[in-house]
Amino acid sequence: MSFNALIVTKDEGSGKTSAAVTQISESDLPNGDVTVAVEYSGLNYKDGLCIGPGAGLVRKYPHVPGIDFAGTVEASDDARYKPGDKVVLTGWRVGEAHWGGYAQKARVKADWLVPLPDGLDTRQAMAVGTAGITAMLAIMALEDAGLKPGADPVLVTGAAGGVGSVAVAILAQLGYKVAAVTGRPETSDYLKGLGATQIVPREDLSEVTKKPLEAEQWSGCIDAVAGAMLGRVLKQMKYGASVAAIGLAGGAPIEGALITPFILRGVNLLGIDSVMQPYARRVEAWKRIASDLPMEKLEAIVQSATLSDLPALGRDILKGQVKGRVVVDVNG
């Protein structure tokens, strides 16, 4: 039986890629332990790269992008999953090195999946998606390092983005005061609606200063920006506080006298990699999302799309023209 998939192909002569919805069959799918009837996927920046120029993310064509998905198990060689089980997948380079979620069926290794927790349906799981589990993993890391709700706020940089938005909403729901950093004043009401108690203009933290330390302000930080901003934020952390850094692993360099916060204030810098997390940690993170994330606050930023919309949306997201979270209904 054939089904729909967004297939990216590459012309060997010109090197140009193109994407179109095509009919394929289960025999075309890559090897794996579990076959999933995909219901929803998301649109992320990496998906745009895979649909468009690739930038080295796609090594073999034809290719099915989609770095996350949620759906129902159809067949399984692993005792953890039975037909009818609801599952979710993020990470493990699915949609990059392995065919991903932009098809009505996917076949993957069982270890890459986790059971969809009670309290979330498949559409909600992809409204949260890779951005949401990254935010939750950052919060869990900060809590493991001792963060608790208190009088001093937790700073979230890049707060209007996908990871930042979810982080703000979860932290507020857990009782933390949240200071949200944004370079777009028009997003202030949106961030306050998610629960931010303080809006910090990006320019307040963008300038590099020669001071080795500044006044202590933040009990913790989730940083999605890096570069000069991270260097500045580290100087403002409370004694013993932690920064969970999630963004721009190969991007802008950190500037400033970084050694001073670590020695004189005992600041911790925690790197968060959401791609290859242990199974138990992913299960815990999704359970926490189901219990701690107020989904109604995120519905305002969710837009729906179908497979046929993706070639254009893949180009748009690379241009910064896609706002909020895009949930892809692969059966729509």
Side-chain angles (χ1 to χ4, degrees), residues 22-38:
T22 306
Q23 290 269 304
I24 63 173
S25 65
E26 283 197 28
S27 62
D28 297 314
L29 294 174
N31 294 330
D33 308 310
V34 183
T35 302
V36 178
V38 179

Side-chain angles (χ1 to χ4, degrees), residues 11-319:
D11 182 86
E12 294 299 331
S14 65
K16 293 183 178 180
T17 60
S18 60
V21 179
T22 306
Q23 290 269 304
I24 63 173
S25 65
E26 283 197 28
S27 62
D28 297 314
L29 294 174
N31 294 330
D33 308 310
V34 183
T35 302
V36 178
V38 179
E39 296 168 18
Y40 295 96
S41 186
L43 177 68
N44 301 272
Y45 192 84
K46 282 185 177 180
D47 297 316
L49 291 173
C50 292
I51 292 170
L57 293 180
V58 179
R59 304 294 176 85
K60 185 178 180 181
Y61 294 90
H63 180 70
V64 176
I67 67 169
D68 49 25
F69 65 78
T72 304
V73 173
E74 277 199 349
S76 174
D77 295 327
D78 189 283
R80 287 172 290 180
Y81 301 106
K82 304 182 299 296
D85 289 349
K86 298 291 185 180
V87 292
V88 60
L89 183 149
T90 59
W92 301 96
R93 299 202 66 196
V94 168
E96 300 173 49
H98 187 96
W99 281 15
Y102 292 167
Q104 291 175 317
K105 292 188 181 182
R107 187 179 291 131
V108 295
K109 292 184 178 180
D111 286 341
W112 298 351
L113 297 164
V114 296
L116 190 69
D118 293 338
L120 281 182
D121 60 32
T122 52
R123 182 182 181 277
Q124 289 172 329
M126 286 299 100
V128 175
T130 298
I133 193 172
T134 303
M136 179 54 79
L137 289 166
I139 291 169
M140 289 164 60
L142 290 175
E143 291 176 338
D144 289 347
L147 182 68
K148 294 181 174 61
D152 297 304
V154 177
L155 188 73
V156 179
T157 70
V163 176
S165 295
V166 179
V168 170
I170 295 175
L171 287 167
Q173 182 75 5
L174 293 172
Y176 292 93
K177 294 180 180 179
V178 184
V181 183
T182 181
R184 295 179 288 165
E186 68 274 14
T187 64
S188 295
D189 289 341
Y190 158 72
L191 292 168
K192 290 177 181 177
L194 291 177
T197 54
Q198 180 182 348
I199 304 298
V200 181
R202 183 170 59 195
E203 56 267 25
D204 287 2
L205 294 172
S206 298
E207 182 182 356
V208 178
T209 67
K210 294 183 179 180
K211 296 179 180 178
L213 290 173
E214 298 184 38
E216 298 178 51
Q217 298 185 56
W218 319 116
S219 62
C221 174
I222 295 176
D223 175 65
V225 177
M229 185 176 294
L230 177 55
R232 185 77 183 275
V233 167
L234 285 166
K235 301 175 184 181
Q236 299 178 356
M237 301 305 297
K238 298 281 290 184
Y239 184 86
S242 299
V243 176
I246 61 162
L248 299 180
I254 302 172
E255 302 181 39
L258 296 183
I259 202 70
T260 309
F262 302 133
I263 291 178
L264 297 183
R265 285 196 182 153
V267 174
N268 303 298
L269 183 59
L270 311 173
I272 307 300
D273 175 19
S274 65
V275 175
M276 298 176 68
Q277 287 284 325
Y279 177 80
R281 191 70 165 176
R282 285 179 285 130
V283 169
E284 181 186 2
W286 277 107
K287 286 181 178 179
R288 286 284 307 272
I289 287 170
S291 64
D292 297 342
L293 175 61
M295 284 300 304
E296 66 278 3
K297 289 186 177 181
L298 294 187
E299 281 299 323
I301 67 167
V302 173
Q303 58 178 301
S304 297
T306 64
L307 291 178
S308 60
D309 297 323
L310 287 171
L313 285 171
R315 294 189 295 270
D316 290 344
I317 198 170
L318 297 181
K319 299 174 184 176

